[in-house]
Each structure stands twice: as structure tokens, then as C-alpha cells.
Amino acid sequence: MAGMKALLRLSLLWVSIATQTAAHQQPLADSRLAINGVPFATRAYWMRVANQALSDLVSPCPFGAFGTAIVNHTSGEGLGELVCIGANSIGSTGEIAAINNCTAVLTSPTGPYNLTASQAQTAFKSLSLYTNAESCPMCASAIRWAGFKEYIYGTSIDTLIEKGWGQIRIASADVFAASYDLSAATRLMGEVLTNETDPYFAWQYDPEYACPVGCGRQKGSCAKMK
Ligand SMILES: *[C@@H]1O[C@H](CO)[C@@H](O)[C@H](O)[C@H]1NC(C)=O
Ligand SMILES: *[C@@H]1O[C@H](CO)[C@@H](O)[C@H](O)[C@H]1NC(C)=O
Ligand SMILES: *[C@@H]1O[C@H](CO)[C@@H](O)[C@H](O)[C@H]1NC(C)=O
Ligand SMILES: *[C@@H]1O[C@H](CO)[C@@H](O)[C@H](O)[C@H]1NC(C)=O
């Protein structure tokens, strides 16, 4: 009898875990919606800039293909304004590279902003971070600490795992849900333009998968075509 109860409890727990997982898999953005006043076409434009950051800073097909663009959407009409880009490099993920780069861009005395460090920190509260894959828990935490207005990601952690990437299985939504003590709120939009971000993460562990545009298979890996 006790065994039955334990089994029942276990299966209820399983149902609740399964439901949570299913909820995470629901894309939070939809191509018909304008979220926070920004239409999908504009979101798609900046997600493509996050993809393009790879080619601009590293190569069209780096192994760790994590690209980020940080954007000011409060400059009113139109697409908004690019503040900085970042891409995965050794010892730094795309998001952290972009946050560091933006801090440098915003505080450069010879740059267009010339902010103090504390003004730069305040500026993040009005900026949107676009990244082509869902952040690792450490980066999602950094995004919350920086206090971004919005965080928009493409490929989900679930998809990365499906494609063979080792990941810490904590969704950004969970990190955000646990960060309510922080003063700034950050709007999260997941799985935006995954049809264009997923291919950057699909070839590394699948020798049959086509390389990103501009690259070809060389010794099993994708490399930039000359
Ligand atoms: C964002 O744009 C608004 C409107 O142009 C401007 O007032 C603000 O300073 C900009 N923020 C940054 C960090 O560039
Ligand atoms: C920083 O961002 C700027 C503006 O987008 C870009 O031109 C530059 O290459 C970036 N630098 C690094 C180190 O990522
Ligand atoms: C940047 O701002 C500082 C003061 O905040 C000022 O002294 C300096 O002249 C500014 N630099 C430029 C290039 O305008
Ligand atoms: C990806 O899907 C979006 C709609 O969600 C569409 O606007 C875009 O053209 C698609 N991209 C490609 C390369 O088919």
C-alpha cells in the first residue's frame, strides 16, 4: 500500500515535470505578434544580425556558433539602433562577449556614447539582447544582473541537446522565474526565428547535416570556403 502511494506520488511528480517541460517548449514568440510594440519582422532582422555576428567576428561556421546583438528599441521609429555585437570566443560565450563589448562601446571616451560605468549599467535597462541560442544558466543570470529590458533567443537548450550538445538543463525561463528579487524586470522571448538559427547548431555532431552558407565539409567539420 505504501509502495502504491509512493508510486502514485512519483507518477504525479513525473506528470508535473513533463508539463513544465512541455510549457518550455512552447515558443513564446509568434510571427503574427508585435510584442512590446516591436513587430516580428524587426525581431527577425535583429536575430539575423546575431547570426551575422559570427561571420563578422569569427567565421560563418565557428564550432561554437553563439552570436549576440544588443539593440536600442527606444530610439523610436524603424528598426532601432545597434549598440554592439558579440560572438563566442575562447573563454567567453556570445552573450558575455557582447555585454563586455557593449560596456566598452558605451564607456569609450572616443565613442558615440561616452558614458560613465554607472550610466552604462543604467543604459542596459533600456536595451534588448538578441542571441541566436538560449543562454546557459550562467549567461541567463548575467543577463538578469545586467538588467536588460528584453532577452530574445533563437534555438532552445532542448534543441541544442537534441542536436548533440552537452548542456546544463536549466531553462532561461527557470533562471528568470527565480530572479524576482532583482529590481529590473526583463521580458523573455524564446524560440524566435529558429528556422534560421537552428542550422548553425545542427552540423557539429551530425556529419550528414549541411554546413551553414559560405562553408563546406572538410575532414568532417565545416570550414569557411575560400
Ligand atoms: C536609446 O535611444 C533613446 C532614444 O533615442 C536615447 O534617448 C537613449 O540614450 C538610447 N540609449 C542608448 C544606451 O543608446
Ligand atoms: C563590438 O561591437 C561593435 C559594434 O557592433 C563591432 O563593430 C565590434 O567588432 C565588436 N567588437 C568585438 C570585440 O566583438
Ligand atoms: C567624455 O566625457 C567626459 C566627461 O564625462 C569629458 O570630460 C570628455 O571630454 C568626453 N569625451 C569626448 C571625446 O567628448
Ligand atoms: C523563417 O520563418 C520566418 C517566420 O517565422 C520567415 O519570415 C522567414 O522567411 C523564414 N526563413 C527562411 C530562411 O525560410
Side-chain angles (χ1 to χ4, degrees), residues 109-110 114 116:
T110 55
N114 192 17
T116 64

Side-chain angles (χ1 to χ4, degrees), residues 46-66:
W46 291 112
M47 192 55 80
R48 289 177 184 133
V49 171
N51 278 334
Q52 180 65 30
L54 301 172
S55 303
D56 291 351
L57 299 172
V58 200
S59 111
C61 53
F63 191 90
F66 300 92

Side-chain angles (χ1 to χ4, degrees), residues 72 74-76 81 83 106 113 115 123 126-127:
N72 186 356
T74 53
S75 15
E81 183 182 83
V83 178
L106 290 169
Y113 301 100
L115 304 182
S126 64
L127 300 179

Side-chain angles (χ1 to χ4, degrees), residues 31 40 48 193 195-196:
S31 60
F40 176 81
R48 289 177 184 133
L193 207 70
N195 56 330
E196 295 185 23

Side-chain angles (χ1 to χ4, degrees), residues 41-117:
T42 303
R43 302 285 184 199
Y45 174 88
W46 291 112
M47 192 55 80
R48 289 177 184 133
V49 171
N51 278 334
Q52 180 65 30
L54 301 172
S55 303
D56 291 351
L57 299 172
V58 200
S59 111
C61 53
F63 191 90
F66 300 92
T68 299
I70 296 179
V71 176
N72 186 356
H73 277 304
T74 53
S75 15
E77 297 297 297
L79 292 169
E81 183 182 83
L82 181 69
V83 178
C84 78
I85 54 174
N88 204 48
S89 59
I90 294 179
S92 162
T93 63
E95 305 89 315
I96 304 287
I99 292 172
N100 289 340
N101 189 22
C102 268
T103 304
V105 167
L106 290 169
T107 58
S108 164
T110 55
Y113 301 100
N114 192 17
L115 304 182
T116 64

